[in-house]
């Protein structure tokens, strides 16, 4: 069963409104690894977001579960999008320097999604926000 792990960040301290619509859908895979995916994606949304909010949705489409994380954060340039899932890559250091991290989270996410025969895509625009779309087969 899909479970979003409690995140280490306190949402109210950052003034972030989190909204989510999560039906109970069973996904084939390792619950611990999938929780790592959700935790990393939500952590990034919180780290790089503005107070406008984060939206998480889950839907069934054919034989896939689509999990979408939308934020109104700092976004990324086209060049950054090409490398964002590489190990140790961090987006523009001038914009992200005060934010902790070594650039492994999204690489780990991509690896786990591939291990589960899934796919992850990212749409992003600087100063507008990012949308991560995870597609996984379900039971």
């Amino acid at each position: 069963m899909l479970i979003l792990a409690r995140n280490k960040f306190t949402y109210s301290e950052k003034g972030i409104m989190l909204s989510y619509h999560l039906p109970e859908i069973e996904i084939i895979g390792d619950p611990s690894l999938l929780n790592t995916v959700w935790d990393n994606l939500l952590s990034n949304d919180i780290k790089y977001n503005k107070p406008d909010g984060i939206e998480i949705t889950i839907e069934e489409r054919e034989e896939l579960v689509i999990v979408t994380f939308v934020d109104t954060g700092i976004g990324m340039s086209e060049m950054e999008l090409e490398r964002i899932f590489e190990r140790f890559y961090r987006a523009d250091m001038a914009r992200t320097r005060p934010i902790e991290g070594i650039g492994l989270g999204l690489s780990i996410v991509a690896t786990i999604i591939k291990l589960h025969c899934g796919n992850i895509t990212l749409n992003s625009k600087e100063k507008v926000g990012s949308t991560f779309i995870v597609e996984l087969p379900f039971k």
Side-chain angles (χ1 to χ4, degrees), residues 47-63:
K47 281 189 219 179
Y48 297 103
N49 203 7
K50 299 175 191 170
D52 297 359
I54 297 167
E55 183 176 351
I56 303 167
T57 58
I58 297 178
E59 64 179 293
E60 294 178 44
R61 196 176 307 150
E62 297 175 19
E63 294 186 12

Side-chain angles (χ1 to χ4, degrees), residues 120-132:
I120 183 166
T121 55
L122 169 61
N123 300 311
S124 187
K125 186 172 181 182
E126 277 186 283
K127 299 178 184 173
V128 175
S130 300
T131 300
F132 287 88

Side-chain angles (χ1 to χ4, degrees), residues 43-50 73-74 90 96 99-100:
S43 295
N44 278 355
D45 274 352
I46 292 167
K47 281 189 219 179
Y48 297 103
N49 203 7
K50 299 175 191 170
I74 62 175
R90 293 232 9 227
T96 62
I99 299 170
E100 292 182 21

Side-chain angles (χ1 to χ4, degrees), residues 42-94:
L42 187 54
S43 295
N44 278 355
D45 274 352
I46 292 167
K47 281 189 219 179
Y48 297 103
N49 203 7
K50 299 175 191 170
D52 297 359
I54 297 167
E55 183 176 351
I56 303 167
T57 58
I58 297 178
E59 64 179 293
E60 294 178 44
R61 196 176 307 150
E62 297 175 19
E63 294 186 12
L64 293 175
V65 172
I66 313 295
V67 185
T68 306
F69 289 77
V70 180
D71 71 56
T72 56
I74 62 175
M76 289 174 250
S77 70
E78 293 268 339
M79 187 178 79
E80 291 167 329
L81 288 174
E82 294 174 13
R83 300 192 56 207
I84 199 65
F85 294 109
E86 293 177 14
R87 286 182 297 161
F88 301 110
Y89 180 78
R90 293 232 9 227
D92 182 0
M93 288 298 287

